[in-house]
Each structure stands twice: as structure tokens, then as C-alpha cells.
Amino acid sequence: MNEKKLVYLFEEGDKQMKDLLGGKGANLAEMSRLGLPVPPGFIITTEACIDYYREGRVITEHLKEKVDEALANLEEKMGRKLGDPEKPLLLSVRSGAVVSMPGMMDTVLNLGLNEETVEGLAKMVGDRRFALDCYRRLIQMYGDVVLKVEGSKFEHIIEEEKEKKGINLDVELDEEALELLIEKFKNVIEEEIGEQFPHDPREQLFMAIRAVFDSWHTPRAQTYRKAHNIADDLGTAVNVQTMVFGNQGNESGTGVIFTRSPSTGENEIYGEYLLNAQGEDVVAGIRTPESIGLLQEAMPHLYDNLVELCRKLENHYQEMQDIEFTIEGGKLYLLQTRSGKRASAAAVKIAVDMVREGIIDEEEAVRRVKPENLEQLLHRQIDPSAKIEAVAVGLPASPGAACGEVVFDADSAAEAGEEGRRVILVRTETTPDDIHGMIAAEGVLTSRGGMTSHAAVVARGMGKPCVSGCEALRIDEGQNKFEVNGHKVSRGDIITINGSSGEVILGEVPMKDPEIGGDFQDILNWADRFRTLKVRANADTPEDARQAIELGAEGIGLCRTEHMFFSSDRLPVVQEMILADKEEERKAALEKLLPYQREDFKGIFKEMAGYPVTIRLLDPPLHEFLPDRDNLLAELYDLRQRSKKYTSHNPFENNVHAESEDLQQQKIEENLKSKEKLWEKVDSMHEFNPMLGQRGCRLGLVYPEIYQMQVRAILEAGAELVQENMNPQDIQPEIMIPLVGHEEELRIMKELVLQVVEEVKKDKDIDLPFLVGTMIELPRACLAAEEISNYADFFSFGTNDLTQTTFGFSRDDAEGKFLPYYLEQGILPQNPFMQIDQEGVGKLVQIAVEKSRAQKPAIKLGICGEHGGDPESIHFFHNVGLEYVSCSPFRIPIARLAAAQSTFK
């Protein structure tokens, strides 16, 4: 059996071996293969790291043997030996993850120095101060990274010595000062860990390798991986490389250079450097670096060489590069190259420019731009250069940043909006009654609710920033104030919220406006050519529909008719319909609602001319349109107390005063009687679990007149538009029956729809194309898809509710309570309300797709839950064969890009 290779010399690898050698190691190997000036070295593989953890964090004797072999090869190449007091070989030991994690793991430089080898180095280079400086640096970095001595203890000693000498910079420390620092550093280590700094260079090497392996599981590395969806089981490689010295006088230096601007994407060299310094001086901010352009004046020949290497590497990798370099005694060395991190606007510009320059093709450009790049470009963001301090962090429910005065109720937000004032609506949680305030507000902040709460879903649909479930907030709406972690915030105070990160910040912070230009549109146009999955919008108003078309929607996948009922002129009529005791009274109220619905649909059909419009008939329980049960009970109690007060007045008091009180008493009694009737209705509709109660098609079955009115409004809207000379083929309603779990439910509902269709056809003498389908949001519907499809022209998967009913989770309770724990403990890999649960919910979707297509091959299949705007979920929907996804208008560009990238996977 072939023994797996755990250590590779640079010349034995190449850029294709990233999974084994890590990104840094693979690129060092590739640059070596290209003949570029790379200090020689070797790479300990990611498999060795995985073995290290498997063995209980032990470096095996076998691995030590292979490292010693590679080290002997390196010593022979360099003509120097690790630990040789005359000609010492010094090493750097660096991490190298498969996926770049800048600054997250550990590095040790100048390894191999001790009391003897430092003098040998001094003789080799003819500069004892330089050798002492390297030794000082090794003890400081090794003490911090490997021995876990707090780095500030070393910094404090350096600052004391500089102050004593009356100097400002580390480079001004003389030999005497450096010798003193070395002794003090060693003493600190012995005091802190009870052991001496290791004298043996080989011991230094293996302890440094262990420290790099250990840094894979530091909290900062784990947090970074979680934030960037990097797997925990990849491990890190270790790169052991011959040291080159940027701190060897003014003919030496170190720096970082990007082949294009990481901020703007402009095709120009961008970077910084320091003379007489090592890499950590730049990273730690010990000295202020110079712009790379000044290197052209200081060392013109070397600068030209560096620019030439930049172009060579960019053309070779066909990607913008981030390159670390060191200059030693006037000679240039490359220590690393990798794909450069870049701002979102830069990512788009670089991809498009590289197509125009012939470096990559359009498909590769579409691959390169990440969906989150587009998301950031679509929303206002906090300026990345701004220094901020969050007082609390909630859930990042809707991206973008907003700043404004705090208000605690929707009416105040609406009033402020009319006056042109910017406000943040702060609520314990929002309800449909708050919609006018949410429209007026710059952003929304709630102390309860999850990523798919009312506030989150509505804000995302509007493209407004929202932070939900910020449980640190203690809101007192009665007093118009909240407290958070010791801070008191009152109505009118300014706060900033970051819906992309969940941060809540006191005061106003600098913002950056969205950056959408021609390059952005080019990427989307190219994406449209590659994708097969259509992208629709969740839109409830003509304004939403218009915006969706502008952003590239190919129809409406979900029009929620209940959102049309909450405006102030309609809600009373809806309540009149709900409170009606007799069917005739209910129908009379529905007749009043019919013109409103008809006009709504006319506006949407006009905007969506030529595109399908999926209209979901009334879904939520009727009690959602009535006053809150607990608030109503409190009002009743108050009225009854006031009624008792007037009933007990003195009959011998002044007659005029008595008559006035009688009138007041009469008004209270009338109001009390009205509220009691309302209470009886609200109480009778109370459900212990409304999500699984009388809603969706169950409403249509019990109160068929509601669905009859809505279907009539849809068809009459189309008929009127035809009479106004709109082409009938441009009106494409898809009537969706919600919450069907049994084929009989859909059969009865479809008969109702067809009955109304015949009536309208007869009344208007117009035959419009239409489809009838259902929203699949119950596990039983997925399992019985074959039978249900007999009565459906289309299925639209409502994955929000399907996730709830499959897991048995209440989404608001889950996200506000135990779901964060589930994610932290790895019980679930992702929030299933943000990214489709492929193993459970996804399998139900797949079953429904296969069963329905087997029964009815022509059935149209799509998805209209929030997952329709999530890139990973979109890849899944593409793979299971859906025809379209539907998402909020502001996520349409993201969905278009993700749908194209799905075809490449």
C-alpha cells in the first residue's frame, strides 16, 4: 500500500493541489515552478493537520521524520543548517488554509535563533544589530504565538525602553537596548509559563508547527469560518520557508501589493511598503507604511521588476492578485500570492474589465462575482472606514443600513415621514397594522421575532434595513423609551441600525450609497444568458411590480392578497365582513371590497403585461384583521370601571351636572356594548395554534363567498383591461389556493374557481387565459403530490411554512430562543429558514416534484418562500428541476446571478 505523502518540497507541488497544500502552499509551489524569486521551503499537508487532531493533538514520529528529510533537503540547497552556530539557517513557519482566512491563524518568523546562532548570523551579514533585532523579534513572536504569553507584556517593555532612550521607532533601538530587551523578554516568558525560552532550534520548529495546527481551532478562526461558510474539517497546511530579511537596513524592506485596486477595481498597482522592516511591522501598525508608488522613486529598477511580476502573476492566474514581498539587500523575493480580497464594487468592475481585456470569458466573470457582492451594492451601507461601537446585536433580518430618530409607533413614523424626517421604527414586534409606519420609516428594529418574522419579511420586501430579535432591548412603549446594556434611548434620539450585521449603534455614522452602474448590469445580462431557472418576484402592489420589472423579474410568483386589506380605508370593511352574523351581511361587505381588489389587480396586470402573476387567495386567519385580543380585554376592563363610576353618582347633585353625566354614561354604555360584541367575536375566533388553524383553503371551504369575491375581482380586472385595449394574452393570472393538504380540498376549490370563471365569462363576454394551482406548504401535500396534481396546473412551494411544519418549529420562537443554540452547537449546519434544509424539507420538495411530474408532466413548478432569494437554496431548486424561483424585488438581481451560477455547478 502506498504511504500517503505528508510533506512536499515547493518544487513538488502546483496550484492545482490547493486542497492538500493549502492556498498559500499551492501558490508558493506554483511560483517556484514558474521560476519566480521565491525563497525555498516545504509544505506540511492539510492531511497531516487532520492526522494531528485525530491523534489527540500529537505530532507523530512519522511526521517528524518526514519534516527532518525535507529540512535536510532545504539545508543542502541553502548551504546552511538549522542551529549551526557559524552559518545558521533561519525559517518562517506559516499557516495555509485551503480557503484564504487572512490574519486568522498563526505565523512565526526568524525561527532558529539562540545565543550562539545569533552571533553566527551577525558574522554572516556583518551586522550585529540586525541579528539581535531578529532574535528579539523571534522571542516576542514565539512567546505570543507558541507559548501564549500576552503580547502586550512585550510591547510594554519595548515602549519603556524607547521612552528611556528618548526615541520613537523600533529601528532606532541600538545593540545595547536590543540585548536588554532580549533578556527582559526571556525573563517575562519564564515568569509567565515557568519555563525558559527553548534554546534548541529543532524544538522551536516542532513547537511552532504544533502552534500553527492549533490555530486552526482558535475562536477567531472558528468565527471566521462560520461567517464565511468554510468547513471545520479542512485543516490547515504549514509552510516552512527560508527566511529573507526586510529589516537588513535601508536597502531592504517588506510590503503588500495588489495588481488592481481592491477598493475600486481600477487597473492600477495598489499597495504599501516599509523599508528596514519585517512583515509584522506592517500588520501590527508599528510604523506607518508608505504608498507603493514611492518605491518607484526609492528603488526604480526594483519597482519596475515588481510591477512586471505583478502582471505576470495576474495573467497566469487570470485573477487580481494580493502579493507579499520582501526586499533583502536590494534583491526582491515573493513570499505569497493569492486572489485578492476586494470590495463589492471592485469585484464587479474587475470581472467585467477582465472580459473586455480578453483575460477571462463572460462565463468566468459570472462565476467570479459572488451574490453577496450584488447584495451589498443594492443597499446603503455603513462606511467601512467608520469606527463604530455597537451597543447591541440582533438578527440581520434585512440588509442595508439606516439612521434616524427613534419612534415607537407606526402613526408617529408615518407623521414623521410626511414631515420629511428620517425615523427608525422601534417595536417589540411589528404586526400588519404597522405597515404604514414601516413604509415611512428608514428602517425597523424589533426586540422579538426571527429572520422570517413579520418585520423581517415585510422589510426585505420593501428593501428596508431591519434588525429583528434584538433581545437586549428593554422597550417601554408607554414611556417612549428603551434601555440597552446600560444606555437609555428616548423618542427623538438618533440611532443607526445595520441590517446586514444586526448591529445597533447609538448616534449617526457615515454611510455609503448603493453603487450600481453599467458593470453591474453587464454581469446580470451575462447571467441571464446562462441561467435556465426563471426569476419572479413576491409583489403585492403595482409599485412593487414596477420595481420588480426594473430589477429583471419575469413575473410575480406570489401576490399576497391579505396585504391589500390592511389600508385604513379597507380594514373597517374587512372587519365588517368578519363580524357579520349572516351570510347576506358578509356578502354585502364583500361587495364593498370587490372594487378595491379589482383595481389592485388591474394595476398589477398592467405592470406585468406579458408575464404570469400568481395570486394567492386569502391565507391568514381572520382574527389577524381584528384588534388584539389582550388589548381588547384591557379596553373592556377600563370601560366597565368607568361605567361603574357613573352608575354610582349622587342623585341629589345639581341636575345639569347629572344630565351631563347621564350623557357620558350613555356613550360609555354604547361603546361598552360595541366592544363586548367585538370581544365575543374575537374570543370565538381565538386559536391556540393559529398557524395550523382555520386559515388558507380552510377559510375558502367554510366561507366560500370570500374566495368567490377574490376570483371575481381577478377576472373582472382582466376583463376591464381587455376592454381598455390590452391584449388578453398579456394578462396571465395564476390563481393559487393556499395550504392544501388533501386532494379533495383542491378539487372543491377548483370547482368554485371554475364556477366564477363561467359567470364572469358570461357577464363580460371575454375568455381570459388562467391557471389554477396550489401552494405546497404541508408535508402531506408533498407526499400526496401525485393525487393533488390531478386538480392543479401548477405547484408553488411555500418553503417558509413547509419548513415550520416539517421541523415542528414556530419560526419566531425558534429564531428568538433555541435556534441560535442549535447553530452554535452544530445541531443544525444552517438556519433552515434562511437556507433550505436539503436533507428534510428538500427531500419533501423532491418527492413532490417527482410525484407530480410522473402524474402530470406539464405541471408548472416553482418556489415562492424566502428561500427563493438565497443562493445556496437556488442551487438546490435548480438541481431538483423547478422552473422558477420567486423572491422579494430587491433580491431579484441576486437570484438571477445565483441561478446562472447553478448551471455551472
PDB file of all heavy atoms in Angstrom, residues 270-283:
ATOM      1  N   TYR A 270      -1.621  48.817  -6.559  1.00  0.00           N
ATOM      2  CA  TYR A 270      -2.032  49.421  -5.290  1.00  0.00           C
ATOM      3  C   TYR A 270      -1.335  48.682  -4.159  1.00  0.00           C
ATOM      4  O   TYR A 270      -1.281  47.451  -4.152  1.00  0.00           O
ATOM      5  CB  TYR A 270      -3.552  49.291  -5.124  1.00  0.00           C
ATOM      6  CG  TYR A 270      -4.085  49.759  -3.790  1.00  0.00           C
ATOM      7  CD1 TYR A 270      -4.537  51.062  -3.620  1.00  0.00           C
ATOM      8  CD2 TYR A 270      -4.144  48.889  -2.701  1.00  0.00           C
ATOM      9  CE1 TYR A 270      -5.032  51.489  -2.395  1.00  0.00           C
ATOM     10  CE2 TYR A 270      -4.634  49.310  -1.474  1.00  0.00           C
ATOM     11  CZ  TYR A 270      -5.071  50.613  -1.331  1.00  0.00           C
ATOM     12  OH  TYR A 270      -5.556  51.036  -0.112  1.00  0.00           O
ATOM     13  N   GLY A 271      -0.736  49.396  -3.218  1.00  0.00           N
ATOM     14  CA  GLY A 271      -0.102  48.704  -2.107  1.00  0.00           C
ATOM     15  C   GLY A 271       0.679  49.623  -1.208  1.00  0.00           C
ATOM     16  O   GLY A 271       0.672  50.850  -1.347  1.00  0.00           O
ATOM     17  N   GLU A 272       1.392  49.005  -0.248  1.00  0.00           N
ATOM     18  CA  GLU A 272       2.170  49.740   0.739  1.00  0.00           C
ATOM     19  C   GLU A 272       3.454  48.970   1.027  1.00  0.00           C
ATOM     20  O   GLU A 272       3.524  47.761   0.828  1.00  0.00           O
ATOM     21  CB  GLU A 272       1.385  49.900   2.042  1.00  0.00           C
ATOM     22  CG  GLU A 272       0.124  50.725   1.911  1.00  0.00           C
ATOM     23  CD  GLU A 272      -0.688  50.745   3.188  1.00  0.00           C
ATOM     24  OE1 GLU A 272      -0.672  49.726   3.921  1.00  0.00           O
ATOM     25  OE2 GLU A 272      -1.336  51.775   3.456  1.00  0.00           O
ATOM     26  N   TYR A 273       4.466  49.705   1.536  1.00  0.00           N
ATOM     27  CA  TYR A 273       5.714  49.037   1.889  1.00  0.00           C
ATOM     28  C   TYR A 273       6.386  49.805   3.020  1.00  0.00           C
ATOM     29  O   TYR A 273       6.060  50.970   3.303  1.00  0.00           O
ATOM     30  CB  TYR A 273       6.638  48.936   0.674  1.00  0.00           C
ATOM     31  CG  TYR A 273       7.367  50.227   0.353  1.00  0.00           C
ATOM     32  CD1 TYR A 273       8.720  50.382   0.694  1.00  0.00           C
ATOM     33  CD2 TYR A 273       6.718  51.281  -0.264  1.00  0.00           C
ATOM     34  CE1 TYR A 273       9.387  51.567   0.427  1.00  0.00           C
ATOM     35  CE2 TYR A 273       7.377  52.462  -0.539  1.00  0.00           C
ATOM     36  CZ  TYR A 273       8.711  52.612  -0.198  1.00  0.00           C
ATOM     37  OH  TYR A 273       9.376  53.778  -0.462  1.00  0.00           O
ATOM     38  N   LEU A 274       7.311  49.131   3.680  1.00  0.00           N
ATOM     39  CA  LEU A 274       8.153  49.740   4.708  1.00  0.00           C
ATOM     40  C   LEU A 274       9.599  49.348   4.460  1.00  0.00           C
ATOM     41  O   LEU A 274       9.890  48.168   4.210  1.00  0.00           O
ATOM     42  CB  LEU A 274       7.749  49.242   6.097  1.00  0.00           C
ATOM     43  CG  LEU A 274       6.663  50.003   6.853  1.00  0.00           C
ATOM     44  CD1 LEU A 274       6.326  49.257   8.142  1.00  0.00           C
ATOM     45  CD2 LEU A 274       7.110  51.426   7.177  1.00  0.00           C
ATOM     46  N   LEU A 275      10.513  50.304   4.523  1.00  0.00           N
ATOM     47  CA  LEU A 275      11.926  49.984   4.454  1.00  0.00           C
ATOM     48  C   LEU A 275      12.410  49.536   5.827  1.00  0.00           C
ATOM     49  O   LEU A 275      11.872  49.944   6.865  1.00  0.00           O
ATOM     50  CB  LEU A 275      12.725  51.199   3.983  1.00  0.00           C
ATOM     51  CG  LEU A 275      12.538  51.614   2.522  1.00  0.00           C
ATOM     52  CD1 LEU A 275      13.361  52.842   2.203  1.00  0.00           C
ATOM     53  CD2 LEU A 275      12.881  50.479   1.565  1.00  0.00           C
ATOM     54  N   ASN A 276      13.416  48.684   5.810  1.00  0.00           N
ATOM     55  CA  ASN A 276      14.049  48.196   7.042  1.00  0.00           C
ATOM     56  C   ASN A 276      13.000  47.659   8.029  1.00  0.00           C
ATOM     57  O   ASN A 276      12.910  48.099   9.180  1.00  0.00           O
ATOM     58  CB  ASN A 276      14.866  49.316   7.695  1.00  0.00           C
ATOM     59  CG  ASN A 276      15.851  48.769   8.730  1.00  0.00           C
ATOM     60  OD1 ASN A 276      16.094  47.552   8.783  1.00  0.00           O
ATOM     61  ND2 ASN A 276      16.404  49.647   9.547  1.00  0.00           N
ATOM     62  N   ALA A 277      12.197  46.707   7.573  1.00  0.00           N
ATOM     63  CA  ALA A 277      11.103  46.181   8.409  1.00  0.00           C
ATOM     64  C   ALA A 277      10.802  44.742   8.034  1.00  0.00           C
ATOM     65  O   ALA A 277      11.180  44.270   6.954  1.00  0.00           O
ATOM     66  CB  ALA A 277       9.851  47.031   8.222  1.00  0.00           C
ATOM     67  N   GLN A 278      10.145  44.042   8.935  1.00  0.00           N
ATOM     68  CA  GLN A 278       9.592  42.727   8.639  1.00  0.00           C
ATOM     69  C   GLN A 278       8.068  42.830   8.562  1.00  0.00           C
ATOM     70  O   GLN A 278       7.478  43.829   8.965  1.00  0.00           O
ATOM     71  CB  GLN A 278      10.022  41.708   9.703  1.00  0.00           C
ATOM     72  CG  GLN A 278      11.498  41.335   9.589  1.00  0.00           C
ATOM     73  CD  GLN A 278      11.873  40.115  10.417  1.00  0.00           C
ATOM     74  OE1 GLN A 278      11.098  39.624  11.233  1.00  0.00           O
ATOM     75  NE2 GLN A 278      13.084  39.606  10.205  1.00  0.00           N
ATOM     76  N   GLY A 279       7.474  41.754   8.027  1.00  0.00           N
ATOM     77  CA  GLY A 279       6.040  41.782   7.717  1.00  0.00           C
ATOM     78  C   GLY A 279       5.151  42.183   8.872  1.00  0.00           C
ATOM     79  O   GLY A 279       4.176  42.916   8.697  1.00  0.00           O
ATOM     80  N   GLU A 280       5.496  41.738  10.116  1.00  0.00           N
ATOM     81  CA  GLU A 280       4.589  42.045  11.228  1.00  0.00           C
ATOM     82  C   GLU A 280       4.558  43.527  11.550  1.00  0.00           C
ATOM     83  O   GLU A 280       3.633  44.031  12.173  1.00  0.00           O
ATOM     84  CB  GLU A 280       4.941  41.218  12.473  1.00  0.00           C
ATOM     85  CG  GLU A 280       6.181  41.647  13.212  1.00  0.00           C
ATOM     86  CD  GLU A 280       7.412  40.861  12.789  1.00  0.00           C
ATOM     87  OE1 GLU A 280       7.434  40.340  11.656  1.00  0.00           O
ATOM     88  OE2 GLU A 280       8.355  40.772  13.586  1.00  0.00           O
ATOM     89  N   ASP A 281       5.610  44.284  11.145  1.00  0.00           N
ATOM     90  CA  ASP A 281       5.619  45.730  11.383  1.00  0.00           C
ATOM     91  C   ASP A 281       4.482  46.404  10.616  1.00  0.00           C
ATOM     92  O   ASP A 281       3.849  47.345  11.102  1.00  0.00           O
ATOM     93  CB  ASP A 281       6.947  46.342  10.930  1.00  0.00           C
ATOM     94  CG  ASP A 281       8.133  45.802  11.732  1.00  0.00           C
ATOM     95  OD1 ASP A 281       7.903  45.348  12.864  1.00  0.00           O
ATOM     96  OD2 ASP A 281       9.257  45.841  11.220  1.00  0.00           O
ATOM     97  N   VAL A 282       4.219  45.902   9.407  1.00  0.00           N
ATOM     98  CA  VAL A 282       3.126  46.447   8.599  1.00  0.00           C
ATOM     99  C   VAL A 282       1.787  46.054   9.205  1.00  0.00           C
ATOM    100  O   VAL A 282       0.898  46.882   9.404  1.00  0.00           O
ATOM    101  CB  VAL A 282       3.215  45.948   7.140  1.00  0.00           C
ATOM    102  CG1 VAL A 282       2.069  46.503   6.313  1.00  0.00           C
ATOM    103  CG2 VAL A 282       4.552  46.322   6.533  1.00  0.00           C
ATOM    104  N   VAL A 283       1.641  44.761   9.533  1.00  0.00           N
ATOM    105  CA  VAL A 283       0.380  44.236  10.047  1.00  0.00           C
ATOM    106  C   VAL A 283       0.027  44.879  11.385  1.00  0.00           C
ATOM    107  O   VAL A 283      -1.115  45.250  11.637  1.00  0.00           O
ATOM    108  CB  VAL A 283       0.456  42.700  10.200  1.00  0.00           C
ATOM    109  CG1 VAL A 283      -0.808  42.161  10.836  1.00  0.00           C
ATOM    110  CG2 VAL A 283       0.690  42.060   8.841  1.00  0.00           C
TER     111      VAL A 283
END
